[in-house]
Amino acid sequence: MGLMPHFIRTLGRRRSLALFAVGTLLAWSMPTDLVWAQPVGLPAPRLLTTMPMGAQVGGEIDVTIAGDDLQQADELVFSDPRLVATHKRDAAGKILPNQYTVKIAADCPLGLHEARVMTRLGLSSSRAFSVGALSEVARTKANTSAETAMELKVNSICNASTSPRNIDYYSFEGRKGQRIVVDCGAKGIDSKLSAVLIVADATGNDLAVERRGGALDFTLPQDGKYLIKVHELTYQGGPAYFYRLALQELAPGAPIVRLPATRTVNSFSWPPTGLAEQAAAQEVEPNNVTQAQKITLPCDISGSFFPAADVDVFEFDAKKGDVWWVEVASERFGLPTDPAALVQHVGTADGAEKLTDVAELSDIPSPVKISSNGYAYDGPPYNAGSADVLGKVVIQQDGRHRLSLSDLFGGTRNDPRNVYRLVIRKAAPDFALVAWPLHMELRNGDRNALSKPIALRGGATMALEVVVVRRDGFDGEIELAMDRLPSGVRATGLKIPAGKSRGIMLVTADEHASHGYASANFLGRAKIDGVEVARPCRLATMAWPVPDAWGELPYPRLMADVPVSTSGEELAPVTLAAAKREAFEAPAGTKLTIPLTEVRRGELNANAISMRVFGAGFEQSAAVSVSLAADKTEVVFDLAALKTPPGDYLIALYGGTVAKYRPWSEAAVKAEAQQRDAQAQVAALDSEAKKLDAAAKAAPPEKKVQADEACKQMATKQKTAMAALNTAAEQAKKAAAASEPKGIADIVVSEPIMIRVLSAEKK
């Protein structure tokens, strides 16, 4: 079994089949030969599908799940406690694997919730689960022709997945003049589906088509039977291409309410704190250059970029020296828009109108550099910036001003659903936060974009990258905090310094943290105008694991909550911590030595790991080499070179590993258990045989025959037990070979290190 006996002893009472052999790796500067085609990231549980993907409020439904690394899947849990899942059982009361019965309380909020499954590795990644008011059905048999069309009732939802290289058919009965809306939830519920919707007559002739992900709004021309056709844009299909097809009747003129959808990552910065749910005013057409809409500041207006090439023009009076902040939301609603605003002073010259540019506003830049190609290459695969508008306008002279608002590429779009919200306000300094687990930035071989649930192995520290969008001139520092954590887990925030855009949250599991999970509270705190405020930090994830972003575009989204869990079984390959939790002190301008302790699990085939530094005041430090050859090592910081001023600091070290990891295998677990039982049986029989042999030698003549017979019977039992042991050992060997260890690149993050830089010593 190689290293297995030693690793099990290291685990103590824990049960695990993970093997690690850690090699050197600098996560942000990798040699090609070390990482080409190197798997990245230790296994994490990922929930990929639930079928169905939603249910009616107040109802009950059976759900089947599937995913990656879901071994020993136990609880199916939701972000709202009013959805409760229990294991589905057969007639004999035996649990059916990966099947659950979900009850939805009558007071459960309508909309999307997060579904996750608890596994031996912790809580899985999320899958959107929709709760609605309409009755629900699930397709149970093929419907790939008009003859096999599944009948739907109006005002119902059907859960299904597209058939590869085929079309799914549904039928319904309608009446002349009836307004029917057909909607398809797909991308918005984490599906890979780009849906095409068609309403056809009973003979299959197309009447209306929607290829852009919108809803079909159709008035029936006559009484009778109609068909709905659904297919993927490129005719792909299978479990990953699931959808929720809604068939509704609406009154003429009633607004269409789309099926609920997840939010894009960049939407975390909307809305501003305290903004009313509905705008105070509406744009009034025609609001163009010749007929501008008159407004007074401050204002809050909703409108739409419609028709194509629409430019909405608003005019207002302002005085020299006034400072206004302009914010436009549209792309952050999940729309394919790119707003731009131009503010001009309107004057006259020689009897003609004279326009003087005051400010031109467009994109909200990403707070941090993002990956240049959508995966973890030279930055995170998440974008916290937006094509929306947020900027300052300083009025240069009294008088009338004009704000022209347009969609930069609106000339090719002609859709009244491309709405916007325009807010012009006096400065209201504030901030919004979003975070994601740190990804490796490998320049060769790694093209994956994977969800990374905060599912912690014992002794592991996970780093979450936290970025901020600052609003209306707020420039202060932001303290990061996380509480309501599972037992055995602690979180330490490395603050976002004043004027900066990035901080780090470290989440650490004790080595002996038990199996469990919790929904954490993640906050940023700051002082604004002398008042302490707290703002939630949203968490981003990948909707679907993308092992190669050259062949498939990643689709990041926000989550509804912040789940944190612990494995209770597997341990991190390396745990790195400071020798003490108290602050290490040194005067400014001197050298600071920090002793470190290491816990290595399994063989290490390298002597050192190169690591960089998180934390204000020390991030400019050159990479430090951390020895892997001993249980204790140290790192040295030159405070003079860093020019770190006196004060208290929190830092952490981070680098990369290549870990030899043996995947967990239920067959291997059973085979090893059978081998241990067989070994115990052989040992027990050996002990008993020794006693019988001694008794036979000491037996009087009248009992000699009986004693010898007992020894013969024992020898037969020993032979049988040894044969069983050999068989068990062979089975264990085969099971182990079937789950051979493989090298996996992953991030190592130290526990937080406290530093206190003292005032320079006087000479």
Side-chain angles (χ1 to χ4, degrees):
M1 294 299 294
L3 297 175
M4 186 56 63
H6 169 73
F7 191 59
I8 290 175
R9 285 197 298 272
T10 302
L11 291 179
R13 295 178 61 188
R14 291 173 180 235
R15 180 165 50 87
S16 178
L17 287 181
L19 274 176
F20 297 104
V22 182
T24 56
L25 176 68
L26 177 59
W28 284 262
S29 181
M30 291 292 297
T32 302
D33 59 346
L34 198 59
V35 299
W36 184 254
Q38 182 79 58
V40 176
L42 292 174
R46 294 187 172 93
L47 178 61
L48 300 183
T49 61
T50 67
M51 181 56 71
M53 298 74 67
Q56 186 176 15
V57 65
E60 179 176 306
I61 195 165
D62 290 338
V63 171
T64 300
I65 67 167
D68 294 335
D69 294 298
L70 299 184
Q71 302 95 345
Q72 295 183 332
D74 186 15
E75 297 177 84
L76 177 63
V77 298
F78 297 87
S79 53
D80 192 293
R82 285 164 286 194
L83 292 100
V84 178
T86 56
H87 286 286
K88 188 173 175 59
R89 299 174 182 269
D90 62 17
K94 184 179 179 181
I95 289 177
L96 296 171
N98 299 329
Q99 296 185 50
Y100 300 86
T101 298
V102 179
K103 292 183 178 180
I104 304 93
D107 62 343
C108 182
L110 302 183
L112 293 185
H113 304 275
E114 307 283 1
R116 304 180 182 93
V117 62
M118 189 62 172
T119 74
R120 61 178 297 275
L121 292 177
L123 210 55
S124 74
S125 61
S126 297
R127 185 54 73 229
F129 189 87
S130 186
V131 174
L134 300 179
S135 61
E136 303 238 354
V137 294
R139 187 190 62 197
T140 58
K141 59 183 179 180
N143 59 333
T144 54
S145 67
E147 293 74 23
T148 60
M150 178 179 174
E151 185 177 355
L152 292 183
K153 293 182 178 179
V154 176
N155 296 322
S156 70
I157 291 177
C158 180
N159 296 269
S161 57
T162 55
S163 305
R165 299 177 300 280
N166 226 318
I167 299 172
D168 295 343
Y169 285 80
Y170 300 88
S171 66
F172 69 94
E173 294 289 335
R175 63 184 184 276
K176 182 178 180 180
Q178 187 178 19
R179 183 190 178 196
I180 290 294
V181 173
V182 181
D183 198 2
C184 187
K187 290 287 187 183
I189 55 171
D190 299 338
S191 174
K192 292 186 176 183
L193 176 68
S194 295
V196 175
L197 296 177
I198 302 169
V199 172
D201 63 23
T203 61
N205 296 314
D206 294 353
L207 302 175
V209 181
E210 173 56 58
R211 293 185 174 87
R212 300 168 299 171
L216 270 177
D217 187 357
F218 186 69
T219 300
L220 303 184
Q222 61 186 24
D223 294 351
K225 180 180 177 179
Y226 291 86
L227 296 176
I228 300 172
K229 305 177 190 178
V230 182
H231 68 83
E232 206 278 330
L233 186 63
T234 57
Y235 289 91
Q236 297 184 74
Y241 296 85
F242 50 83
Y243 61 88
R244 285 167 58 79
L245 181 68
L247 173 63
Q248 292 180 271
E249 178 182 10
L250 285 185
I256 297 175
V257 178
R258 297 295 307 274
L259 290 174
T262 58
R263 295 178 60 191
T264 57
V265 172
N266 59 16
S267 68
F268 82 97
S269 60
W270 179 266
T273 302
L275 186 71
E277 185 174 347
Q278 299 295 329
Q282 302 282 326
E283 65 150 325
V284 179
E285 295 286 357
N287 52 344
N288 52 34
V289 173
T290 58
Q291 292 177 281
Q293 183 173 338
K294 306 297 183 183
I295 60 175
T296 58
L297 304 188
C299 69
D300 178 5
I301 300 170
S302 63
S304 68
F305 296 115
F306 180 78
D310 183 35
V311 178
D312 290 343
V313 181
F314 305 92
E315 287 191 352
F316 57 89
D317 292 326
K319 295 183 177 297
K320 180 179 179 180
D322 285 350
V323 177
W324 295 97
W325 288 83
V326 176
E327 184 164 8
V328 179
S330 182
E331 192 245 5
R332 285 175 289 177
F333 296 154
L335 299 172
T337 52
D338 191 351
L342 174 64
V343 179
Q344 299 170 301
H345 177 266
V346 182
T348 56
D350 299 326
E353 183 178 84
K354 178 184 178 183
L355 298 176
T356 304
D357 290 355
V358 177
E360 189 172 356
L361 307 172
S362 56
D363 298 352
I364 302 172
S366 173
V368 294
K369 183 186 185 303
I370 64 167
S371 177
S372 59
N373 52 11
Y375 57 86
Y377 178 77
D378 54 357
Y382 298 99
N383 187 357
S386 173
D388 283 343
V389 168
L390 175 59
K392 181 169 66 172
V393 175
V394 180
I395 303 300
Q396 303 297 322
Q397 52 186 315
D398 293 348
R400 184 161 52 105
H401 289 75
R402 179 177 297 163
L403 185 148
S404 301
L405 183 60
S406 62
D407 176 2
L408 287 179
F409 300 97
T412 61
R413 294 189 270 256
N414 191 39
D415 192 338
R417 293 170 295 189
N418 287 336
V419 297
Y420 64 80
R421 182 114 173 236
L422 166 66
V423 178
I424 306 177
R425 59 178 177 259
K426 289 292 187 181
D430 210 337
F431 61 94
L433 299 168
V434 68
W436 45 74
L438 192 71
H439 281 65
M440 299 190 80
E441 296 169 15
L442 305 181
R443 296 184 182 276
N444 298 292
D446 172 29
R447 297 184 177 88
N448 69 22
L450 303 175
S451 56
K452 298 184 72 173
I454 311 177
L456 302 169
R457 291 170 168 82
T461 294
M462 178 179 281
L464 307 181
E465 191 169 20
V466 186
V467 301
V468 58
V469 164
R470 297 176 179 272
R471 183 174 270 113
D472 298 11
F474 170 70
D475 207 31
E477 73 175 24
I478 302 169
E479 298 285 346
L480 303 175
M482 184 184 289
D483 54 27
R484 298 206 304 254
L485 295 163
S487 176
V489 177
R490 58 189 184 278
T492 306
L494 309 186
K495 67 183 178 183
I496 303 176
K500 302 297 183 180
S501 58
R502 177 178 181 262
I504 298 292
M505 173 58 71
L506 303 173
V507 187
T508 301
D510 295 338
E511 181 173 357
H512 301 291
S514 59
H515 193 61
Y517 65 89
S519 181
N521 183 42
F522 195 179
L523 295 172
R525 295 188 176 93
K527 284 191 174 181
I528 299 178
D529 296 331
V531 178
E532 184 173 290
V533 301
R535 298 289 180 256
C537 182
R538 302 295 303 273
L539 201 60
T541 187
M542 289 291 167
W544 203 269
V546 176
D548 187 349
W550 277 10
E552 181 178 350
L553 291 176
Y555 183 69
R557 70 166 177 90
L558 289 180
M559 290 200 300
D561 57 351
V562 182
V564 179
S565 64
T566 48
S567 167
E569 290 196 12
E570 285 200 3
L571 299 178
V574 177
T575 297
L576 185 65
K580 64 177 183 178
R581 290 192 177 178
E582 295 79 16
F584 294 89
E585 297 183 350
T590 65
K591 290 189 176 181
L592 171 63
T593 299
I594 298 177
L596 304 173
T597 61
E598 300 170 8
V599 178
R600 305 179 303 279
R601 302 172 180 94
E603 280 188 4
L604 305 180
N605 61 3
N607 294 323
I609 180 171
S610 183
M611 306 189 82
R612 301 299 299 266
V613 184
F614 289 131
F618 289 81
E619 290 191 343
Q620 300 307 311
S621 173
V624 296
S625 180
V626 176
S627 172
L628 297 175
D631 293 338
K632 296 181 180 180
T633 185
E634 62 183 30
V635 294
V636 179
F637 294 108
D638 187 341
L639 300 180
L642 292 172
K643 299 180 181 178
T644 307
D648 291 334
Y649 299 88
L650 267 174
I651 69 166
L653 306 174
Y654 66 100
T657 70
V658 172
K660 275 287 189 179
Y661 179 84
R662 179 184 174 190
W664 185 89
S665 164
E666 186 173 1
V669 169
K670 290 180 178 179
E672 288 199 345
Q674 290 171 351
Q675 184 181 14
R676 287 194 298 270
D677 291 343
Q679 287 172 334
Q681 180 68 13
V682 167
L685 291 175
D686 285 347
S687 177
E688 184 65 21
K690 289 178 181 179
K691 293 178 182 179
L692 290 174
D693 185 60
K697 291 178 180 178
E702 65 273 14
K703 294 185 177 181
K704 184 69 173 174
V705 174
Q706 183 180 0
D708 288 344
E709 182 61 28
C711 288
K712 288 180 182 180
Q713 292 177 2
M714 179 55 67
T716 300
K717 290 181 180 179
Q718 284 181 288
K719 184 178 179 180
T720 301
M722 184 56 68
L725 175 58
N726 290 337
T727 299
E730 185 64 24
Q731 290 175 342
K733 182 178 179 180
K734 290 179 179 179
S739 56
E740 278 295 312
K742 59 182 178 180
I744 297 179
D746 207 358
I747 300 171
V748 171
V749 182
S750 77
E751 295 186 17
I753 301 170
M754 295 177 61
I755 294 174
R756 179 170 293 120
V757 178
L758 307 173
S759 298
E761 297 176 348
K762 295 182 179 180
K763 297 182 179 179

